[in-house]
């Protein structure tokens, strides 16, 4: 148990990362709290873990996400404070979007700054996340009325590095058109490493005639302990055994039953297609249904497309937590959209991450902002809702463009096969004489 992993918000991409590390790395132990009431986890989890993690002389490295107040834990448990302490940022609270009706809570960003000061290594999931955090520290600390600390950025920056969120891509070739499957095999091959790792292999199982997904993204990709992330660069798709059909009888409201009656929904309806060239464009929203993802703007664009008389289908995927800004089925009723709203007890697609959606054949459309220019080529970016609307209008009229398109960006740098060496190096250390 030389590696101690602590996750105060064990859900979404936080869970996926620590589960992957525990599975792939030897001699580690994991302690977690359920992914509920994020704000309370940030406030109180350090005290809980200080009382519930047994003392052990075998620990050498402590790995935790920035939800945990590492400063409090190190003070409450001096034995853990002696370890090599690694803090991983899925998101940062200095720039995380808050509701218009709320002010930013100083405590959460302050806790993250303190944790960075205590940590030996601070790891971010993107350059954008790292730079937006570090360059915001000075302005953030000016909120303190007097006796402000100084030079915190210069103290923290030398500890910082970027390791992208690792994605372990599953085999979805049975749902993919052959030309896209072959293309994925090429772009996921690891040059200089003897080809793709087994977990990234894409065996050709059967040929589908067309992929019918177009991916539309929100304008925010960072969230606290969220399922995704920018955090979400990667929440992985479920394996084949986790695919489910959509049944209207599972805990559905009468409104939902009315809209899904006699409907059976199969993964191949999204990931594969039929020979019908006239079938409508399929737009996928692959994010948490919460305010920081700005679903209202997304549906405004869709309603404009509907007002223009354009034909398309919509699937809303990703986890939904307690804070839901609007009922998508009510929006569906107004706009007469063909919407499949995914929840945990309905369809088990878990298509949460942008890169995973692209891996499954989607054409990404992302804001020219935040982390997206770091990940996606310029042709997949838009600057305004009007630009997004025009792109979607064209694709609605010519969905064959999307179905024939081969993604031009990189995926290999975000794969577990490419990143496992960095994580292994980060999370191993020689025993210290003072332990």
């Amino acid at each position: 148990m030389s590696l101690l992993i602590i996750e105060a918000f064990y859900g979404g991409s936080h869970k996926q990362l620590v589960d992957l590390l525990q599975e792939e790395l030897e001699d580690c132990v994991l302690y977690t709290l359920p992914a509920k009431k994020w704000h309370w986890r940030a406030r109180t989890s350090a005290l809980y873990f200080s009382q519930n993690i047994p003392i052990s002389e075998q620990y050498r490295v402590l790995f935790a996400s920035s939800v945990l107040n590492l400063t409090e834990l190190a003070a409450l448990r001096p034995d853990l404070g002696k370890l090599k302490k690694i803090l991983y940022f899925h998101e940062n609270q200095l720039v995380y979007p808050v509701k218009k009706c709320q002010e930013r809570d100083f405590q959460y960003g302050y806790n993250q700054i303190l944790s960075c000061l205590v940590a030996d290594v601070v790891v971010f999931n993107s350059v954008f996340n790292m730079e937006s955090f570090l360059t915001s520290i000075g302005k953030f600390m000016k909120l303190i009325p007097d006796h402000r600390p100084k030079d915190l950025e210069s103290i923290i920056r030398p500890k910082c590095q970027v390791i992208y969120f690792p994605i372990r891509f599953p085999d979805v070739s049975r749902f993919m058109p052959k030309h896209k499957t072959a293309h994925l095999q090429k772009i996921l091959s690891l040059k200089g490493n003897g080809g793709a790792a087994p977990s990234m292999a894409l065996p050709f199982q059967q040929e589908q005639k067309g992929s019918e997904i177009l991916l539309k993204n929100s304008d925010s990709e960072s969230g606290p302990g969220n399922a995704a992330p920018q955090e979400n660069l990667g929440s992985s798709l479920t394996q084949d055994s986790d695919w489910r059909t959509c049944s209207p009888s599972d805990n559905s409201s009468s409104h939902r039953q009315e809209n899904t009656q006699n409907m059976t929904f199969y993964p191949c309806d999204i990931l594969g297609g039929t020979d019908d060239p006239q079938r409508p464009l399929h737009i996928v929203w692959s994010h948490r249904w919460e305010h920081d993802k700005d679903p209202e703007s997304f549906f405004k664009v869709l309603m404009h497309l509907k007002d223009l008389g354009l034909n398309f289908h919509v699937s809303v995927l990703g986890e939904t937590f307690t804070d839901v800004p609007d009922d998508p089925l009510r929006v569906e009723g107004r706009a007469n959209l063909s919407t499949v709203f995914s929840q945990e007890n309905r369809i088990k697609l878990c298509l949460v991450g942008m890169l995973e959606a692209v891996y499954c054949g989607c054409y990404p459309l992302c804001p020219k902002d935040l982390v997206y220019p770091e990940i996606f080529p310029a042709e997949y970016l838009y600057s305004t809702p009007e630009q997004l609307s025009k792109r979607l209008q064209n694709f609605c009229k010519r969905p064959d463009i999307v179905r024939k398109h081969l993604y031009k960006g990189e995926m290999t740098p975000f794969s577990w096969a490419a990143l496992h060496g960095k994580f292994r190096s980060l999370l191993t250390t020689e025993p210290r004489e003072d332990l």
Side-chain angles (χ1 to χ4, degrees):
M1 297 185 296
S2 63
L3 172 58
L4 172 63
I5 303 177
I6 301 176
E7 181 49 68
F9 196 87
Y10 187 58
S13 59
H14 289 230
K15 179 180 187 299
Q16 289 156 14
L17 176 59
V18 297
D19 283 353
L20 179 60
L21 295 178
Q22 187 181 39
E23 179 181 341
E24 295 287 344
L25 302 178
E26 304 83 15
D27 199 23
C28 63
V29 61
L30 172 64
Y31 289 92
T32 68
L33 281 171
K36 298 179 180 179
K37 302 184 184 301
W38 176 86
H39 297 90
W40 283 105
R41 297 288 185 259
R43 291 184 180 108
T44 66
S45 61
L47 178 57
Y48 171 83
F49 286 122
S50 73
Q51 295 182 336
N52 287 275
I53 295 177
I55 295 176
S56 172
E57 295 181 356
Q58 298 182 35
Y59 299 142
R60 292 293 179 269
V61 179
L62 189 162
F63 178 89
S65 75
S66 61
V67 175
L68 176 71
N69 189 321
L70 189 58
T71 307
E72 291 180 348
L73 182 65
L76 292 166
R77 286 286 300 272
D79 59 314
L80 300 182
K82 293 179 181 180
L83 305 178
K84 176 185 177 182
K85 298 174 291 299
I86 301 168
L87 192 68
Y88 191 87
F89 274 73
H90 292 263
E91 84 295 320
N92 79 76
Q93 290 300 309
L94 303 191
V95 299
Y96 175 72
V98 296
K99 291 184 178 180
K100 295 180 180 179
C101 60
Q102 294 178 339
E103 293 184 359
R104 186 177 303 279
D105 192 318
F106 182 82
Q107 176 182 345
Y108 304 120
Y110 184 67
N111 287 353
Q112 289 189 331
I113 292 172
L114 290 179
S115 292
C116 288
L117 293 170
V118 169
D120 297 296
V121 183
V122 182
V123 183
F124 292 85
N125 64 354
S126 68
V127 174
F128 169 82
N129 202 9
M130 180 178 72
E131 290 300 327
S132 65
F133 179 82
L134 292 173
T135 58
S136 297
I137 291 175
K139 180 180 179 181
F140 183 82
M141 298 305 286
K142 288 182 180 179
L143 295 172
I144 301 175
D146 55 18
H147 302 288
R148 302 183 186 102
K150 297 179 180 179
D151 303 321
L152 297 183
E153 179 185 349
S154 62
I155 296 172
I156 294 173
R157 183 176 285 276
K159 303 180 180 185
C160 296
Q161 59 178 279
V162 173
I163 303 181
Y164 288 111
F165 189 101
I167 306 173
R168 190 162 54 180
F169 295 105
D171 173 26
V172 293
S173 57
R174 71 186 63 183
F175 307 120
M176 295 275 286
K178 187 174 181 179
H179 72 286
K180 291 199 175 188
T181 305
H183 179 64
L184 279 176
Q185 191 175 50
K186 292 179 181 179
I187 65 176
L188 281 175
S189 63
L190 293 177
K191 296 180 179 179
N193 287 306
S199 63
M200 297 166 57
L202 292 169
F204 299 105
Q205 298 182 4
Q206 70 180 66
E207 180 177 354
Q208 297 289 339
K209 296 300 182 181
S211 174
E212 62 175 338
I213 308 179
L214 172 100
L215 181 68
K216 190 275 164 192
N217 190 27
S218 66
D219 69 349
S220 173
E221 191 66 26
S222 62
N226 59 16
Q230 117 214 338
E231 185 155 12
N232 239 311
L233 297 182
S235 312
S236 62
L237 287 164
T238 56
Q239 300 295 330
D240 293 344
S241 60
D242 290 329
W243 293 99
R244 301 289 186 270
T245 58
C246 180
S247 170
S249 61
D250 294 335
N251 297 328
S252 302
S253 66
S254 58
H255 182 88
R256 187 187 304 276
Q257 290 174 347
E258 180 180 336
N259 284 280
T260 60
Q261 192 171 16
N262 300 323
M263 180 183 70
T264 302
F265 186 69
Y266 296 96
C268 56
D269 291 337
I270 289 184
L271 298 182
T274 66
D275 292 328
D276 181 11
Q278 301 302 318
R279 69 185 186 279
L281 182 74
H282 201 143
I283 302 172
V284 172
W285 168 280
S286 66
H287 310 281
R288 289 179 297 107
W289 192 260
E290 293 192 87
H291 77 277
D292 59 295
K293 302 302 180 185
D294 193 20
E296 291 88 350
S297 295
F298 171 68
F299 271 93
K300 284 181 181 178
V301 171
L302 296 189
M303 292 186 68
H304 179 61
L305 298 180
K306 202 67 182 179
D307 290 340
L308 294 175
L310 298 171
N311 195 14
F312 57 92
H313 294 293
V314 180
S315 290
V316 182
L317 309 176
E319 292 186 68
T320 300
F321 293 91
T322 55
D323 189 10
V324 181
D326 200 355
D327 179 3
L329 295 178
R330 182 163 61 85
V331 177
E332 174 199 7
R334 291 200 309 264
N336 193 28
L337 301 175
S338 175
T339 303
V340 179
F341 185 58
S342 169
Q343 291 187 3
E344 196 99 24
N345 60 350
R346 295 176 61 77
I347 179 169
K348 193 73 172 181
L349 279 176
C350 295
L351 206 162
V352 182
M354 286 287 293
L355 284 171
E356 292 153 322
V358 173
Y359 169 82
C360 289
C362 294
Y363 183 108
L365 286 176
C366 319
K368 194 176 182 179
D369 193 12
L370 305 174
V371 71
Y372 301 114
E374 185 178 339
I375 307 301
F376 295 100
E379 76 170 88
Y380 304 112
L381 307 177
Y382 62 87
S383 299
T384 65
E386 291 73 22
Q387 289 182 2
L388 171 63
S389 180
K390 289 181 180 179
R391 297 287 298 277
L392 288 174
Q393 289 176 44
N394 291 334
F395 288 151
C396 284
K397 297 172 183 176
R398 288 287 310 279
D400 59 298
I401 295 176
V402 174
R403 292 174 184 135
K404 295 176 182 178
H405 181 78
L406 298 177
Y407 180 62
K408 299 177 182 178
E410 295 286 338
M411 285 192 184
T412 296
F414 312 103
S415 68
W416 171 247
L419 295 169
H420 77 277
K422 291 184 178 180
F423 276 99
R424 186 175 294 276
S425 176
L426 176 73
L427 297 174
T428 56
T429 185
E430 294 298 322
R432 287 169 46 177
E433 294 180 359
D434 58 338
L435 291 179

